[in-house]
Amino acid sequence: MTHPLLYAHEHQPRFLEELKAFLRIPSISAQPVRRPDVEVAAEWLRDQLRAAGFPRAEVLPTGGHPVVYAEWLAAGPDAPTVLTYGHYDVQPPDPALEWLSPPFEPTVRGENLYARGASDDKGQLYAHVKAAEAYCATVGAPPVNLKVIVEGEEEIGSPNLDPFIEAHRELLAADVALISDSHILAPDTPSIVYALRGLAYLQVEVEGPAFDLHSGIYGGAVNNPLNALCRMLAGLQDAEGRVLIPGFYDAVRPLDAAERAELARVPFDREAWLEEAGVSTDWGDPDYTVVERATARPTLDINGIWGGYIEAGAKTVLPSKAYAKMSMRLVPDQDPAEIARLVREHLERVAPPSVSIVVRDLHGGSGAIVDRNSPAMRAAAQAYAEAFGSSPVFVREGGSIPVVATFQRALGIETVLMGFGLPDDRLHSPNEKLYLPNFTRGVDTVIRFFDLLARAGQV
Ligand code: BES
Ligand code: ZN
């Protein structure tokens, strides 16, 4: 009988070909014209789960893109149940012209596989599927009970996921969740994420004159909504990034001295970081280190701003309307809805009476901190150590995976964030990639994690 680890190594070339097929499906959740592709990706994944051995695998409807659900409860009622989560949707590939190979034609260059979704999150979630298959094909079934939920709306803020989870509490009941949708520090420095930031995303619309006006005839006597918007937005933050909205920091759980000391020990190469980000210097609140600013402190960013004339040449115009999209990364215990309310009320207060404004709440998600001392975390750390050859360090993550807080609240379970990406994977950017040795080790780590968890018998 082959060992699951050996099986996974022997079948790696096929796993890669299958992953490429997954990546060829342009399942862009944000674009309505891609709806059929999103559906195809869900069905493709369901079929792969069945082929991997899951006795139950289905595509379940939601109010938006469907959820893929699968389960394999062969380990019996005394064994732990692991709920794995991932997302089969991807970000739009824009700007399309900057890709060296087309975003939906997965291409291997060197040790990397380039494609939209390679790291975020198709490549990573596929490691879970292949780990299950390795057990099926060798010892018959995984040593823990497995439930799988893969959503198709993560990149648009998971508008239908929380209601789905709440309506399926029993179906999804488990002892611990496993998510691979983050990165490790470096190929030889595995890391486990123990905290994630949350997000509040708003759109601001400023309306001035009923139609565009000649800036020579009316300029100086009619307030320009773009000028007004820029003034309002500029006042939200000081030059070092501190947010000036009253109440914004009230709920922030402080970083204690012990945690700061621990974060200061996380390996951080400033030069490499600057290079990776394509900047000449860092920026932000000098009271916090770069690592703290990027992972453990809240932020405010304008994501886009538009209005008026942006075509070739010059046009002397007072635009009728101005728009901005903005988002705040949040930390526990900032509540996204409460932050959205504070920002809306603040903008309404500071808006001059000569324009009218509307602030729309686009989406949000809570940050989370997970328990680092559970048996499941120890099993995860051990699995990484065995697969990567060195023990993982614990880090906070600046990105958001809002389902972690939902699992805590709705299912009462903690999550192990077992990422296999790398910091330079270019998520959401052109030339997204997956470092293939991490994919191989990822499958390895998951196989070992299931085994260690089964042996521990508790989570
Ligand atoms: N995989 C990312 C989350 C992530 C980002 C983990 C960076 C580690 C490092 C995820 O797909 C994502 O992009 N999440 C969104 C969530 C948002 C839409 C609520 C994010 O962070 O912007
Ligand atoms: Zn993403």
Side-chain angles (χ1 to χ4, degrees):
M1 183 181 60
T2 327
H3 189 278
L5 288 171
L6 196 62
Y7 175 91
H9 281 255
E10 281 171 358
H11 291 264
Q12 210 40 240
R14 173 172 55 82
F15 294 174
L16 175 59
E17 289 312 308
E18 291 167 2
L19 174 56
K20 284 186 185 170
F22 195 12
L23 292 166
R24 281 190 199 102
I25 310 170
S27 47
I28 308 167
S29 49
Q31 300 177 345
V33 299
R34 296 298 192 179
R35 183 145 198 133
D37 298 300
V38 173
E39 190 81 27
V40 167
E43 286 162 5
W44 186 92
L45 185 58
R46 175 203 57 203
D47 294 346
Q48 287 297 315
L49 285 157
R50 283 187 188 153
F54 282 83
R56 177 176 178 186
E58 30 196 85
V59 173
L60 299 177
T62 73
H65 298 311
V67 155
V68 178
Y69 176 77
E71 62 180 36
W72 194 348
L73 310 177
D78 294 332
T81 298
V82 180
L83 173 64
T84 71
Y85 161 93
H87 62 92
Y88 67 83
D89 66 322
V90 300
Q91 286 273 333
D94 315 44
L97 294 177
E98 288 187 25
W99 286 78
L100 295 177
S101 49
F104 297 106
E105 275 174 37
T107 305
V108 175
R109 282 195 298 279
E111 291 189 294
N112 294 314
L113 172 62
Y114 290 85
R116 171 58 86 230
S119 178
D120 184 10
D121 175 41
K122 287 173 174 171
Q124 297 206 49
L125 78 88
Y126 205 57
H128 298 171
V129 181
K130 295 295 104 176
E133 179 194 312
Y135 276 108
C136 174
T138 54
V139 296
V144 291
N145 298 307
L146 288 180
K147 295 183 176 183
V148 175
I149 178 173
V150 186
E151 70 157 315
E153 301 191 308
E154 197 274 349
E155 299 293 8
I156 52 170
S158 308
N160 296 287
L161 188 64
D162 283 13
F164 181 91
I165 291 171
E166 264 145 31
H168 295 87
R169 278 205 177 93
E170 256 169 64
L171 181 72
L172 301 173
D175 298 300
V176 68
L178 175 69
I179 301 181
S180 300
D181 190 22
S182 53
H183 54 247
I184 58 172
L185 289 176
D188 56 356
T189 316
S191 50
I192 296 182
V193 170
Y194 70 91
L196 293 152
R197 290 197 285 196
L199 189 75
Y201 204 117
L202 302 174
Q203 179 160 316
V204 189
E205 306 176 2
V206 180
E207 202 171 332
F211 35 86
D212 288 8
L213 298 174
H214 190 293
S215 71
I217 302 176
Y218 296 98
V222 167
N223 199 357
N224 177 333
L226 264 174
N227 293 26
L229 175 63
C230 289
R231 265 194 301 274
M232 279 187 263
L233 296 181
L236 296 179
Q237 197 178 45
D238 72 12
E240 286 170 327
R242 293 178 200 88
V243 177
L244 305 174
I245 300 161
F248 183 82
Y249 291 101
D250 284 1
V252 172
R253 205 188 298 181
L255 276 175
D256 61 34
E259 187 172 3
R260 294 190 76 173
E262 226 176 307
L263 289 176
R265 283 197 300 273
V266 171
F268 176 68
D269 178 342
R270 185 165 184 276
E271 291 311 312
W273 180 86
L274 292 173
E275 162 106 31
E276 194 183 286
V279 293
S280 56
T281 185
D282 67 278
W283 171 86
D285 189 340
D287 290 345
Y288 296 91
T289 65
V290 170
V291 169
E292 288 169 347
R293 280 180 237 153
T295 64
R297 293 290 296 164
T299 67
L300 184 149
D301 284 293
I302 316 294
N303 304 107
I305 182 161
W306 71 105
Y309 185 69
I310 54 165
E311 303 302 323
K315 182 175 190 245
T316 47
V317 63
L318 293 187
S320 159
K321 295 185 182 68
Y323 303 85
K325 288 185 191 283
M326 58 182 286
S327 60
M328 279 79 46
R329 290 284 166 180
L330 309 176
V331 297
D333 300 303
Q334 287 179 300
D335 171 36
E338 169 66 5
I339 292 294
R341 185 183 66 82
L342 287 176
V343 180
R344 188 178 59 248
E345 288 179 0
H346 179 77
L347 286 170
E348 286 166 356
R349 218 170 22 245
V350 299
S354 45
V355 297
S356 62
I357 79 160
V358 177
V359 181
R360 293 181 207 283
D361 195 344
L362 296 194
H363 64 74
S366 300
I369 296 188
V370 299
D371 178 12
R372 275 190 269 174
N373 297 309
S374 62
M377 273 296 197
R378 281 196 291 278
Q382 176 72 24
Y384 267 117
E386 290 176 6
F388 285 78
S390 62
S391 291
V393 291
F394 282 87
V395 296
R396 294 181 71 131
E397 171 53 58
S400 306
I401 307 180
V403 75
V404 173
T406 308
F407 285 159
Q408 288 176 332
R409 196 191 66 243
L411 303 179
I413 58 172
E414 292 287 12
T415 295
V416 172
L417 290 150
M418 187 178 272
F420 305 116
L422 287 176
D424 64 354
D425 279 351
R426 308 227 169 162
L427 312 185
H428 301 196
S429 298
N431 304 308
E432 177 179 349
K433 56 94 174 153
L434 178 68
Y435 179 60
L436 287 169
N438 273 20
F439 177 65
T440 308
R441 289 189 186 135
V443 178
D444 232 78
T445 311
V446 177
I447 291 171
R448 292 174 194 273
F449 174 63
F450 291 161
D451 180 56
L452 290 161
L453 205 56
R455 285 165 200 266
Q458 49 171 346
V459 296

